[in-house]
Amino acid sequence: MTDTVLCATGLVMRFGGITATNNVTLNLKRGARHALIGPNGAGKTTLINLLTGVLTPTEGRIELLGEDITTLAPYRRVARGMVRTFQINQLFDSMTPLETLALVVSQQRGMAGQWWRPLGASRAVVERATQLLEQFHLGDVAQQQVKHLAYGKRRLLEIAIALACEPRVLLLDEPVAGVPAGEREELLQTVAALPADVSVLLIEHDMDLVFSFADRMTVLVNGTLLTEGDPDTIANDPKVKEVYLGHGEAIHV
C-alpha cells in the first residue's frame, strides 16, 4: 500500500498567454497535515481547482489513491474520497444543522432517494449526525436554522458536512477566513482534532493556524513551487522570508 494518497505531477494551467500553474508537483501522504501557502496571487486557488476537478490541467497528471483522476468530474472525486470545504459550502439557510447533516449522511449511505422519510426514520443516520454535531461543537445549535448561526458555527458546519462525506483526502480552503476573533478558538481546536486517518491539505493565510497545524508545508509563488519542507525549515528559509516581506506580509512561528 502506497504512503501517498494524492499525487499531482507536473501540473500546468494556462489561460491564454498566462501560465497560472507552472509545472507544480505535490504529494500528500497518508494521514498528512500539509499546508499550502503563498502570498496573494501565488496560484493556490488555481491549484486547488485543478486537484478538485473544477479545472482540467493543460499538462500534468493527478492521482488519488493510485487512480488517475486528471479528467474526472468533481462529484466523482468526492465519491472517491476527495472533499473540499468550499465545494459544499452552499448551506440551506432554512434547514437546521441536524437536518443538514442527516441529509448528507443519508446520501453518503445510499439513502438519498428516501429523503421524504421522517428525519428519525433511520436511527443510524441520526446517531451519526448527532455524533458529528457534538464533534464540531454544534450540539447547542442543532435545532436552529442555519441562517441564524454565527459565522464561526457556519464554518464548523461546513467542515462537519465535509467529514460526513467520509473523505480520505480533505482540502480545507481558508477555514478561518472572515471568522471573528471570538469564534476562532473553537474552530482552531476542531481543525486540530480532525481524524488522524484523514489526510488534510490546508490552504490558509493565517500563519498561526498553519504553523500550529501543519507537519509539512508547500510554498507557491507566481504559480511555481518555491520550496517544500517541515515548518521549521520553511520559517527559516531566506527565500520564503523574502517573498512574504516583498508582499508586505509576515511569516512567523
Side-chain angles (χ1 to χ4, degrees):
M1 181 181 294
T2 178
D3 191 38
T4 300
V5 292
L6 178 63
C7 178
T9 307
L11 292 186
V12 175
M13 188 70 221
R14 297 191 187 96
F15 298 100
I18 298 172
T19 301
T21 305
N22 185 17
N23 193 32
V24 171
T25 292
L26 176 73
N27 291 303
L28 191 69
K29 301 296 185 183
R30 193 174 304 278
R33 297 294 183 260
H34 195 131
L36 177 65
I37 67 170
N40 288 328
K44 300 185 296 296
T45 298
T46 300
L47 179 57
I48 295 307
N49 284 339
L50 290 170
L51 295 177
T52 54
V54 176
L55 296 171
T56 301
T58 309
E59 298 174 21
R61 178 184 175 95
I62 304 167
E63 293 184 5
L64 176 65
L65 301 169
E67 178 186 1
D68 186 350
I69 62 165
T70 309
T71 60
L72 209 61
Y75 76 95
R76 293 193 180 277
R77 299 184 196 211
V78 173
R80 283 164 172 74
M82 179 194 289
V83 181
R84 175 188 183 181
T85 48
F86 272 28
Q87 229 173 294
I88 47 176
N89 74 336
Q90 298 300 315
L91 301 175
F92 294 104
D93 280 351
S94 62
M95 294 177 68
T96 68
L98 175 58
E99 291 168 341
T100 301
L101 289 170
L103 181 64
V104 176
V105 172
S106 296
Q107 184 175 28
Q108 184 65 25
R109 298 188 177 190
M111 300 163 61
Q114 302 174 35
W115 57 269
W116 46 266
R117 297 180 68 191
L119 179 63
S122 170
R123 181 184 298 272
V125 168
V126 174
E127 286 179 351
R128 176 57 177 154
T130 302
Q131 179 187 27
L132 287 162
L133 288 168
E134 295 305 317
Q135 180 178 350
F136 287 89
H137 308 282
L138 293 165
D140 57 335
V141 295
Q143 303 290 353
Q144 288 186 27
Q145 286 186 316
V146 168
K147 63 185 176 184
H148 297 309
L149 297 185
Y151 192 65
K153 291 291 188 184
R154 289 175 68 97
R155 282 299 176 97
L156 286 168
L157 179 56
E158 288 170 11
I159 302 174
I161 291 169
L163 211 62
C165 295
E166 300 180 13
R168 304 288 295 277
V169 173
L170 177 60
L171 306 181
L172 286 180
D173 199 343
E174 299 196 32
V176 299
V179 177
E183 300 174 39
R184 286 164 58 91
E185 188 56 36
E186 197 170 52
L187 192 54
L188 295 177
Q189 290 176 3
T190 303
V191 170
L194 286 169
D197 61 340
V198 178
S199 305
V200 182
L201 180 62
L202 171 72
I203 305 92
E204 186 54 70
H205 279 290
D206 186 309
M207 288 301 150
D208 290 333
L209 171 56
V210 167
F211 280 101
S212 66
F213 176 81
D215 52 31
R216 191 156 188 83
M217 299 166 65
T218 295
V219 185
L220 277 187
V221 179
N222 296 327
T224 302
L225 197 155
L226 178 70
T227 188
E228 186 175 301
D230 61 65
D232 284 343
T233 301
I234 297 299
N236 294 297
D237 189 312
K239 294 182 297 183
V240 175
K241 290 182 178 179
E242 181 182 352
V243 164
Y244 272 88
L245 291 173
H247 285 74
E249 302 174 50
I251 187 167
H252 56 86
V253 181

